[in-house]
Amino acid sequence: MKAALTELGFGHRYTPKHVFFKHSSGTPFFALPRYAPGQRLSSIHALMIRTQLEDAGLIEEAEPRCRPLVGTVLQKTGGVAKVKAKKKAGTPPAAAGKPAPPKAGKNDAGGPEGGRKPSATKAKAHA
């Protein structure tokens, strides 16, 4: 990684625990922990460096390696992706502007207690 960054115009500085890389333009700037000789760069550090190099325009943006996790991209306009969430099967669409009715519970009007709170003796029996 050091050789690749040096080739892109980065200088480096060592401290006892870190290596700092700074581009000749001043940005981007990386601080990485010192790795042992021959130790492989962690994937999170590699991703961080690659993302910042792409954002700075120092390398070309790579194709995404994975699909979006949520929703399906329908249209891309002005650099912003519009996403439509996937709908659960059997879920009716909500009425526009109307909140969903509350679900019935034990103490609701339609529940076994008929809208009343349980008596103290029943509360003790449940405890």
Side-chain angles (χ1 to χ4, degrees), residues 61-64 68 72-84:
E61 192 169 332
E63 288 291 321
T72 306
V73 177
L74 297 178
Q75 180 181 12
K76 220 175 187 181
T77 57
V80 177
K82 293 182 180 182
V83 177
K84 181 179 180 181

Side-chain angles (χ1 to χ4, degrees), residues 15-73:
T15 65
K17 293 187 177 186
H18 294 89
V19 181
F20 297 93
F21 292 95
K22 186 175 181 180
H23 193 260
S24 58
S25 68
T27 56
F29 178 79
F30 309 114
L32 298 173
R34 288 190 67 167
Y35 284 91
Q39 185 179 3
R40 188 180 171 127
L41 185 67
S42 76
S43 58
I44 192 71
H45 291 144
L47 180 63
M48 174 198 69
I49 291 171
R50 184 170 126 193
T51 302
Q52 289 189 27
L53 292 175
E54 288 173 354
D55 290 346
L58 296 172
I59 62 173
E60 288 186 26
E61 192 169 332
E63 288 291 321
R65 294 184 183 192
C66 60
R67 296 179 292 139
L69 297 177
V70 177
T72 306
V73 177

